[in-house]
Amino acid sequence: MKLELIAPDLTGVDCDALLLVEFEASPRGELAEALSTLRESGEVTGKFLELTLLHSPAGFKARRVLLAGAGKRGKFEIASLWKLAAASARLLKGKGAKKIAVVLEDGFDSPEHVSATVQAVIEASWEPDRLKTNADKDGSREIESLTICAAGSGLESAVAAGGIIGEAANLTRDIAVEPPNKLTPMALAARAQAMAKANGLSCEVLDQDRMRQLGMGALLGVAQGSAEPGAMVIIEYKPEKAASDARLAIIGKGVTFDTGGISIKPSEGMEKMKYDMCGAAAVIGAMQAIAQLRPSVSVTGVIPTVENMPGSKAQRPGDIVTSLSGKTIEILNTDAEGRLILADAITYAKQLGCTHLVNAATLTGAIVVALGNHQSGVFSNDDALLGRWMAAAKSAGEKMWHMPVDDEYREMLKTVYADIGNVGGRAGGASSAAAFIREFVGDTPWVHVDIAGTAWLDDAKPWMPKGPSAIPLGSFVKLAQEWK
Ligand code: BES
Ligand code: MN
Ligand code: ZN
């Protein structure tokens, strides 16, 4: 998509559709006249996500004007702008608009607003139907260019950053949506390598032999039930000049399919478990954006990847494995596999010298019960890193809720036969899962993000098709960008 920044101009922009943000109870001054009848008729109220398309509006060079209801001024956040711009772009794309322009109002035209708008429009172009071969594909109509009409300093780079993050989010979605017969663990590793090569990053793939030598027994125990070998992928970004000694690791769960293993899942809805690698896909996308934005902190992307299958070599409930950390784990439920592969990934990241750890995982059904599909759950052992993460999530417009991971939850994982069990009962399941991971983190500052409810949209929304959301890619990128 071609991106362009020009000075604010309401009537003179030449485009197929001009997008105007319209607040509730406070119409834009410039438009007051043209809109007064629409306002009076009650057709345009400015309610959030109300989209009104006007054709050949008098006095405008634009072929169409889309009035995008923004709701109350005081409640309008970056996340609202992202949704509104994406919903508008999806509507306009469906109408065949190729060249669209956006005029941002005073006070809503900061670099953050501009970047979020560009990102939203690029993400809005993504469709999940790549493998459809018939004519009803949604992907055939495309927006070709986006013009942002705004004035202010830093907006050029904000446009570029929005473009980079939007493209990275679409890469994440492309990977996340691939079916599990095509996206095996090795195929996922190949996607990471291809991204790294294209963006000048180094990337190493540890195969099963290497992982066996290193002693990654927790990951290998999960992998052994599948004919597809597992892997550990490490992607490195190094800044020209680091602002500190910090080495950030972003770690993503890469289970390409989760049958549950011997503790097999019910068949209904099992097809959704191809999305159990969304954390990994977000790491690949984030590393691409980081390579292009070049923040001043070192970032290591770590992806443990396996397929959780109930093959004849599969691990059993009752097995005890020795993790890379040396701690022994009693497998009580083979469906609690994400925490097992993360345990070895986290230990490995620490061995590589990473000083701050952030992991993202579609880890528990319990977080979906707790927070629904609206917010990701956040667990941490360090208030400073937690603060940075929540700030990054806010500026990325990704909603996150802080959840507890106190010692009581660790108690739930006690077992007689090994250092720790891999499940702690139904109650507080998201927190006991976090407590399991924490056991391998130790005192290193760490944040765990449970994205089981947010990584995949079950129903299409005006701003997004059904499918992967790319969460928490935006927060990963902002965390690196805002690192001082
Ligand atoms: N990948 C699932 C988490 C999941 C479950 C995401 C349902 C979305 C919906 C994870 O590997 C898993 O199976 N977790 C179990 C843990 C349990 C066995 C302690 C769960 O949440 O049911
Ligand atoms: Mn599972
Ligand atoms: Zn899983």
Side-chain angles (χ1 to χ4, degrees), residues 297-315:
V297 61
S298 289
V299 188
T300 305
V302 182
I303 297 170
T305 177
V306 296
E307 185 183 47
N308 190 21
M309 296 285 273
S312 64
K313 298 250 172 67
Q315 70 179 351

Side-chain angles (χ1 to χ4, degrees), residues 75-76 86 90-91 143 153 161 202 215 232 335 348 350 363 391:
K75 280 183 70 183
F76 196 69
R90 289 187 65 73
L91 177 94
I143 294 171
S153 63
S202 65
M232 182 76 79
D335 197 10
Y348 195 62
K350 291 205 303 179
L363 202 67

Side-chain angles (χ1 to χ4, degrees), residues 349-469:
K350 291 205 303 179
Q351 289 181 356
L352 290 175
C354 295
T355 59
H356 295 77
L357 312 171
V358 181
N359 74 260
T362 45
L363 202 67
T364 66
I367 200 68
V368 191
V369 174
L371 301 177
N373 303 111
H374 309 294
Q375 304 224 12
S376 308
V378 178
F379 304 79
S380 179
N381 64 353
D382 184 82
D383 287 345
L385 185 60
L386 173 68
R388 284 178 194 255
W389 176 257
M390 294 308 258
K394 186 148 180 56
S395 64
E398 294 175 342
K399 292 192 180 177
M400 310 257 168
W401 197 257
H402 182 204
M403 302 282 290
V405 56
D406 312 61
D407 293 340
E408 288 86 344
Y409 297 102
R410 169 64 181 86
E411 295 291 306
M412 298 166 73
L413 300 164
K414 278 199 164 153
T415 140
V416 175
Y417 307 108
D419 295 334
I420 192 167
N422 79 328
V423 295
R426 268 171 62 81
S431 287
S432 61
F436 180 93
I437 300 173
R438 182 182 180 161
E439 185 73 11
F440 299 85
V441 167
D443 295 329
T444 307
W446 156 77
V447 163
H448 152 56
V449 193
D450 195 334
I451 54 170
T454 52
W456 194 271
L457 218 62
D458 286 323
D459 305 295
K461 301 276 189 219
W463 56 89
M464 210 188 274
K466 179 180 163 118
S469 68

Side-chain angles (χ1 to χ4, degrees), residues 253 258 260 265 276 308 334-338:
K253 172 178 174 182
D258 183 11
K265 289 180 182 295
D276 217 13
N308 190 21
T334 63
D335 197 10
E337 84 295 341

Side-chain angles (χ1 to χ4, degrees), residues 72-345:
K72 302 221 165 32
R73 258 170 214 275
K75 280 183 70 183
F76 196 69
E77 304 176 326
I78 294 288
S80 339
L81 176 60
W82 186 95
K83 265 189 191 171
L84 189 61
S88 303
R90 289 187 65 73
L91 177 94
L92 293 172
K93 181 174 81 128
K95 306 271 178 205
K98 300 261 177 272
K99 185 172 172 12
I100 72 170
V102 183
V103 179
L104 290 170
E105 228 181 293
D106 270 3
F108 297 93
D109 54 359
S110 70
E112 288 73 33
H113 290 97
V114 166
S115 173
T117 306
V118 173
Q119 189 190 328
V121 174
I122 290 180
E123 289 191 49
S125 69
W126 189 85
E127 299 292 348
D129 57 1
R130 300 201 152 214
L131 295 181
K132 269 194 184 174
T133 57
N134 52 13
D136 67 346
K137 271 170 88 86
D138 289 323
S140 49
R141 292 182 158 181
E142 281 191 28
I143 294 171
E144 286 162 8
S145 80
L146 168 66
T147 304
I148 301 284
C149 314
S153 63
L155 298 190
E156 285 288 351
S157 59
V159 169
I164 286 171
I165 300 171
E167 298 293 353
N170 288 349
L171 170 66
T172 289
R173 293 191 166 111
D174 281 343
I175 298 171
V177 81
E178 272 203 54
N181 57 332
K182 300 224 154 73
L183 196 84
T184 59
M186 279 305 169
L188 179 65
R191 297 298 296 257
Q193 276 183 312
M195 180 285 297
K197 186 147 187 270
N199 291 282
L201 300 174
S202 65
C203 178
E204 194 187 356
V205 178
L206 309 183
D207 65 13
Q208 292 204 156
D209 286 342
R210 184 76 189 115
M211 290 192 288
R212 212 164 284 125
Q213 283 169 357
L214 291 167
M216 296 184 173
L219 184 149
L220 289 167
V222 181
Q224 77 192 33
S226 170
E228 295 292 340
M232 182 76 79
V233 184
I234 296 97
I235 311 164
E236 292 275 3
Y237 162 76
K238 291 263 170 289
E240 282 76 48
K241 202 171 164 302
S244 71
D245 292 336
R247 283 189 57 193
L248 176 62
I250 57 176
I251 303 165
K253 172 178 174 182
V255 176
T256 60
F257 194 73
D258 183 11
T259 64
I262 295 299
S263 314
I264 199 162
K265 289 180 182 295
S267 55
E268 189 172 333
M270 202 202 270
E271 74 283 356
K272 200 183 157 186
M273 282 301 133
K274 70 173 181 178
Y275 94 129
D276 217 13
M277 35 60 67
C278 281
V283 167
I284 297 174
M287 290 306 291
Q288 168 167 300
I290 287 167
Q292 296 175 4
L293 292 165
R294 309 216 66 80
S296 57
V297 61
S298 289
V299 188
T300 305
V302 182
I303 297 170
T305 177
V306 296
E307 185 183 47
N308 190 21
M309 296 285 273
S312 64
K313 298 250 172 67
Q315 70 179 351
R316 299 140 286 248
D319 281 5
I320 294 179
V321 297
T322 302
S323 64
L324 179 60
S325 71
K327 285 185 203 288
T328 55
I329 306 167
E330 183 179 6
I331 309 301
L332 296 165
N333 188 317
T334 63
D335 197 10
E337 84 295 341
R339 59 196 77 180
L340 297 169
I341 66 170
L342 286 168
D344 281 348

